[in-house]
Amino acid sequence: MDTICISPIQDCPRYQELRVLYEIALALKGSELGIEIAFEKTLSLLKRHFYMDKSIYYALNDESNELEVLSSAGLSKRQEVLATYKVGEGATGLCAQFLEPVVIENIHQNILFLNKSCSLKKSEISYLAIPALSQNKLFGVLGVSLTQKSLCNIEEMVTILTITASLMAQSQQIYQTINDEKKRLKEEKLYYKEEILKQNEIIGYSPVIQDVLEIIGKVACTNSTIFISGETGTGKELIAKAIHNYSHRKEKPYIKLNCAAIPENLLETELFGHERGAFTDAKEMRKGRFELAHEGTLFLDEVGDLSLSLQAKLLRVLQEQEFERLGGTKTIKVDVRIVAATNRDIKEMVRQGSFREDLFYRLNVIPIHSPPLRDRGDDIILLACYFLERFCRRHGKERTLLPDAQMMLKEYTWPGNIRELENSMERIVLLAPSLHVNAQVIFSVLPAKTKIPTKEVETKADLEDLERQAIIRVLRESRGIKIKAAKKLGITNRQIGYKIQKYEICMQEYLE
Ligand SMILES: Nc1ncnc2c1ncn2[C@@H]1O[C@H](COP(=O)(O)OP(=O)(O)OP(=O)(O)O)[C@@H](O)[C@H]1O
C-alpha cells in the first residue's frame, strides 16, 4: 500500500506568508509608543522574507500634499530625503492619487518609475506601490521593489502588501491621534498654568502697592519670617504666595493654615500632626502642616486668632525649628519659612496681653502692610477692569465701564477691599443689561448707602458729563421712551435725539 506523505505545515508557502503577517502584526503591536522602530521592523521583515531589494513606507504630509519617507529598509538617510513625491508624481504619487495599487513589472523600461532616490540597481525588476488606508483615509504608500529571487506571484504579493499597508496605516492613525491628544493636553496644561500665574499676579501701580512690591523683591529670597498686616481682602495671601513664588523655595510646598477656621482643639494636630493612637480617632499617623511644609513656606493666616497656649507652642517651633507630633516622643526637625498674617490690630492685642509679645517679635522680623483699596487711587479702576475682563471671559460676555461708573467705583470706600471689588465685578458682569456699564448699574450692586457721585462743574466737559448723566437718568425713568424723556427734560424730541447721538447713548439699554 502506498503511504501518503503529508509535508509538515512549516514547508507550505501559505503558512510562511501567514507567519510573516503574524510577525508584522507583532512588530506593529505597541507602535503607539513610537512608530519608527515598529515600521523599520515591518519593512525589514518584508524585505528579508520576500527577497526584496528595498521596502519603503511613505507618509502623506497633509500640508504639503507630499509623500515623505517615514521609514525604509534598503535606503540610506540621504536617499530617504531625495525620495519625496508629490501626490500624482510617478508610480508612488499615482498610487496616492487614485488610492489603488500601482504595479510596474519592468522598472527599467517604464517612465512612471522615477528613481528619485537614485538607488536603482540592476537586480531590481518590479515595483509595487500600495496605498496605506485606514477608515478610507490615505495615510501613506507602501513601496517595494522585487528582485529575481522574490517569489513572484504579483497578485499574491499585492494581497499581502495590502494587508501590511492597512496595518501600518492603522498604527499610524493611532499614533497620530495619541500624539495630537498629547500636544493638546500639553497646550492646555500651559494655558492653565499661565491662568493660575495670572491669578496670582499682584495688580497695581499706586505708590503704596509699589512699596509693597519693592519689599517683596528684597526679602523673598531670604529665609526671614514675614508678618503681613492689613484689612480683610487687601491681598495678604496674594503677598504670601508672591513671597513663596519669588523665593528659592518655589519648587517646594506652599502650605496654608487659616488659624481662625479650625476649632481650637484640632489646631494643634493640624499644626504638628499626630501619632497613631494619640487619641480615640487617631487610627493612622498624620503629618501636620509644619511637616508638610518642610523646605517650603508655611502661611499662617489669621495668626492673631491663636490661643495663648498654642502661641507658646508655635514660639517654641519658631525658636528651635523642631517639635513632636501629638502623642509622640520623636523630635522632628523641619526647615520651614514662616509667613504670618492678620487683619487684627496685633499691637493692641500685645498691649492687652492677648498676644504674646515675644511671639510678636519673632514673627514681625519683616513687617509688610497691605494697604486698603481706598488708598490705592487709580488702582481701583485698574483692578475693576482686570476683574471685569476675567469674569467676562469666564461667563462669555462683553462689558465695558463708562466714565460715570468708573468715578463711582473710585468714590466708594470698599470696606471689603479687593475681595469686595472682585465679587462686585462678577455681579456686574452677570447683571448689567448691556455692553456699557454705567453708574446706575454700579449703584445697583453696591450697598444701599452708596451715592451716585456728583462732581463740581469746572469745565465744558464736566457740564456735558452732567447733561449726559441727566439724559440717561430720565431715559431710564421713561423706560427708553424718547418723547416722554424729552418732555420731562423740557426739550423737544429732535433735541433729545441730537443729544443721544452726540453722547453716544445706547438706547437699547433703556428700552424695556
Ligand atoms: N493687587 C491685587 N491684584 C489682583 N488681585 C488681588 C490683589 N489683591 C487681592 N487680590 C484678590 O482679592 C482677593 C482677596 O485677596 P486675599 O485673599 O489675598 O486677601 P486677604 O487680605 O488675605 O484676605 P483675608 O484677610 O480675608 O484673609 C483674592 O481673590 C485675590 O486674588
Side-chain angles (χ1 to χ4, degrees):
M1 212 171 77
D2 285 346
T3 49
I4 304 165
C5 179
I6 303 170
S7 65
I9 190 163
Q10 282 85 346
D11 292 343
C12 166
R14 277 283 129 71
Y15 173 79
Q16 293 301 335
E17 283 162 9
L18 273 177
R19 182 85 214 166
V20 176
L21 285 175
Y22 170 70
E23 282 181 33
I24 286 173
L26 283 186
L28 291 174
K29 198 175 78 177
S31 57
E32 70 274 9
L33 303 174
I35 51 174
E36 279 84 0
I37 295 173
F39 276 25
E40 245 172 65
K41 263 192 199 167
T42 304
L43 296 170
S44 297
L45 273 166
L46 284 176
K47 180 173 178 279
R48 198 174 60 239
H49 187 81
F50 296 108
Y51 300 99
M52 294 166 174
D53 186 75
K54 46 184 96 76
S55 54
I56 308 162
Y57 187 86
Y58 300 88
L60 175 69
N61 180 332
D62 284 322
E63 277 166 28
S64 62
N65 209 27
E66 282 181 338
L67 295 154
E68 296 160 354
V69 177
L70 179 70
S71 189
S72 79
L75 285 186
S76 68
K77 286 285 161 219
R78 194 177 151 269
Q79 288 167 336
E80 283 187 352
V81 176
L82 290 172
T84 299
Y85 293 91
K86 284 221 167 294
V87 170
E89 184 186 23
T92 311
L94 282 175
C95 163
Q97 186 176 358
F98 296 107
L99 306 180
E100 291 289 344
V102 173
V103 177
I104 298 181
E105 294 211 24
N106 185 349
I107 49 183
H108 297 280
Q109 287 177 7
N110 194 313
I111 50 160
L112 278 180
F113 190 77
L114 301 180
N115 186 27
K116 279 177 89 174
S117 63
C118 306
S119 61
L120 182 63
K121 292 189 205 127
K122 272 198 186 133
S123 54
E124 292 173 66
I125 304 169
S126 309
Y127 179 73
L128 269 62
I130 311 290
L133 300 161
S134 178
Q135 291 175 328
N136 287 329
K137 183 179 180 290
L138 183 79
F139 280 83
V141 170
L142 175 62
V144 303
S145 54
L146 307 177
T147 62
Q148 201 102 50
K149 278 171 94 184
S150 304
L151 313 161
C152 252
N153 172 339
I154 296 266
E155 234 174 83
E156 259 178 38
M157 187 59 80
V158 169
T159 310
I160 290 167
L161 291 177
T162 302
I163 297 171
T164 308
S166 158
L167 289 174
M168 292 175 97
Q170 283 171 34
S171 299
Q172 199 186 339
Q173 186 180 23
I174 295 169
Y175 179 73
Q176 272 177 12
T177 311
I178 292 175
N179 253 14
D180 289 350
E181 186 62 8
K182 269 191 197 162
K183 210 172 130 201
R184 193 186 62 77
L185 288 173
K186 214 171 151 184
E187 280 165 5
E188 211 169 85
K189 194 174 147 192
L190 204 76
Y191 167 79
Y192 285 120
K193 233 176 157 176
E194 277 173 8
E195 276 298 296
I196 289 168
L197 275 181
K198 263 193 229 158
Q199 288 191 15
N200 284 334
E201 203 183 340
I202 299 176
I203 312 276
Y205 290 114
S206 58
V208 281
I209 205 70
Q210 287 300 317
D211 287 349
V212 169
L213 291 173
E214 201 185 316
I215 305 175
I216 294 175
K218 279 187 190 150
V219 300
C221 52
T222 69
N223 279 325
S224 308
T225 302
I226 296 189
F227 191 81
I228 310 167
S229 59
E231 292 175 17
T232 182
T234 49
K236 296 187 291 297
E237 183 168 3
L238 211 58
I239 295 174
K241 272 190 201 148
I243 291 165
H244 175 75
N245 289 340
Y246 289 123
S247 76
H248 58 266
R249 295 170 180 261
K250 67 171 185 285
E251 302 297 338
K252 303 288 177 182
Y254 165 86
I255 304 286
K256 176 190 166 176
L257 179 72
N258 186 332
C259 305
I262 297 170
E264 164 74 28
N265 57 338
L266 296 182
L267 207 51
E268 193 172 354
T269 336
E270 281 300 326
L271 275 171
F272 309 115
H274 61 73
E275 294 294 348
R276 193 172 159 212
F279 45 88
T280 328
D281 285 339
K283 304 247 176 337
E284 299 290 334
M285 180 280 280
R286 209 178 131 207
K287 287 184 182 179
R289 308 278 166 118
F290 261 102
E291 246 180 298
L292 294 173
H294 181 51
E295 295 185 327
T297 306
L298 177 61
F299 175 49
L300 296 174
D301 202 5
E302 316 287 5
V303 77
D305 288 52
L306 279 181
S307 69
L308 281 167
S309 77
L310 270 174
Q311 287 177 28
K313 287 180 181 156
L314 178 62
L315 182 66
R316 195 198 133 204
V317 185
L318 295 184
Q319 279 167 339
E320 294 159 25
Q321 292 270 308
E322 59 180 44
F323 59 92
E324 291 87 36
R325 291 189 199 121
L326 222 76
T329 47
K330 198 174 95 187
T331 301
I332 296 161
K333 272 201 158 306
V334 283
D335 163 22
V336 172
R337 197 236 188 113
I338 303 286
V339 178
T342 188
N343 53 27
R344 298 173 67 162
D345 185 346
I346 202 90
K347 285 189 186 150
E348 183 54 32
M349 287 177 76
V350 170
R351 265 193 295 277
Q352 287 177 2
S354 55
F355 201 86
R356 290 179 68 118
E357 191 173 16
D358 43 8
L359 178 59
F360 171 66
Y361 287 118
R362 267 277 158 195
L363 292 173
N364 200 35
V365 182
I366 310 278
I368 296 181
H369 180 67
S370 184
L373 184 57
R374 62 184 169 279
D375 292 350
R376 300 195 197 182
D378 284 340
D379 278 359
I380 298 177
I381 307 303
L382 190 72
L383 281 159
C385 293
Y386 164 78
F387 292 129
L388 191 80
E389 199 193 308
R390 209 164 85 191
F391 292 121
C392 278
R393 232 184 307 134
R394 189 178 296 173
H395 299 295
K397 301 213 175 198
E398 214 181 315
R399 297 287 178 267
T400 60
L401 294 174
L402 289 174
D404 60 340
Q406 296 191 9
M407 198 160 86
M408 190 163 187
L409 289 173
K410 252 184 100 172
E411 294 203 352
Y412 179 58
T413 50
W414 299 108
N417 293 293
I418 300 144
R419 185 177 294 111
E420 187 184 1
L421 175 65
E422 190 177 357
N423 294 341
S424 304
M425 294 322 286
E426 181 159 23
R427 256 179 292 144
I428 284 164
V429 166
L430 294 173
L431 299 178
S434 61
L435 174 69
H436 298 105
V437 176
N438 57 23
Q440 289 288 344
V441 178
I442 305 286
F443 181 68
S444 68
V445 295
L446 293 184
K449 52 184 182 288
T450 321
K451 282 203 193 112
I452 297 183
T454 46
K455 208 175 140 193
E456 291 215 0
V457 178
E458 287 165 355
T459 62
K460 188 173 169 231
D462 291 342
L463 193 65
E464 287 183 344
D465 201 32
L466 213 63
E467 188 174 45
R468 183 177 188 278
Q469 282 186 39
I471 294 171
I472 288 175
R473 186 172 39 80
V474 175
L475 274 172
R476 190 181 303 281
E477 285 165 10
S478 318
R479 292 166 205 263
I481 303 167
K482 246 192 320 182
I483 196 152
K484 217 167 150 186
K487 218 174 179 178
K488 274 194 179 184
L489 288 165
I491 56 178
T492 64
N493 199 22
R494 244 185 91 210
Q495 280 169 324
I496 198 171
Y498 163 76
K499 288 186 194 293
I500 285 169
Q501 220 177 2
K502 178 179 168 192
Y503 297 129
E504 295 176 349
I505 296 170
C506 176
M507 286 299 291
Q508 300 305 94
E509 287 180 27
Y510 312 103
L511 287 170
E512 278 200 350

